[in-house]
Amino acid sequence: GGQSECTTRNDTAIDPKKSYTIIAMRPPSKQLMSKQFLALAGFFAFHQSHNTWILTTTKDFLSFLGDDEYGNKYLSIFTLLTPVSILGLPFVDIILRKYGYSIGLHFINLLGIAVGLVKVTSTNLSVQVVGFVMYSFYRCFVFSITFSCLPTFLGIDVLGKGCGFLILYGGILSFIVNIPLSNVTMNRLGRDFFLANLLYLIGCLPCVALCEIVRKGFAVEKAAKQS
């Protein structure tokens, strides 16, 4: 019975000749080096870097679009809407309960793409307000879904380190990418953020593959527990 459960689909198959150890049962260092954790860490690092980019460049981005002429009205709207991200929590709960963490991660991607599309397809400040609302939900989903995902496969004694490494990887990527990207945008592209925002929009696409790695990891873990 257990073996048939494990070989129903290719991505959940477990080779009976090889023993699979549940991630939470492995030594701490191996838990943090598991494909499941590294895929999630890469996914979060990108989206945390994207989140940081938006927070630190929105003032200059809106200024380039002409917000200074309106007395920074749209920057004020962005600032006021950022705490509204807490309203996304009930939606997070519904998605995770109904569809699971894998779909929840895909929702993060979709929101990241939606935020990016608004930025690269419109220079209308009023349209950017729609992006502000999407960003509030995006910010909420990135942190709440990713961090709540960790306890589902990491051991309780590794959770703190897992959270710490997620933040660390995100900070490193943000440092490596955002500082030079900001310098190029401000000094060589005349404060035009189109190219930078386009790069982050395109960057959401490889994250789909990382979501799939996490999904398959959950499937293998489930099959191993049932075998």
Side-chain angles (χ1 to χ4, degrees), residues 112-127:
I113 290 171
V115 170
L117 282 174
V118 171
K119 288 180 174 292
V120 302
T121 60
S122 178
T123 57
N124 188 306
L125 284 166
S126 296
V127 173

Side-chain angles (χ1 to χ4, degrees), residues 15-43:
D15 188 343
K17 296 180 181 180
K18 298 180 180 179
S19 60
Y20 179 86
T21 304
I22 301 298
I23 294 175
M25 301 299 292
R26 301 174 191 175
S29 60
K30 291 188 176 181
Q31 291 186 47
L32 298 174
M33 289 299 293
S34 64
K35 184 185 293 186
Q36 181 87 337
F37 179 77
L38 293 178
L40 186 66
F43 176 88

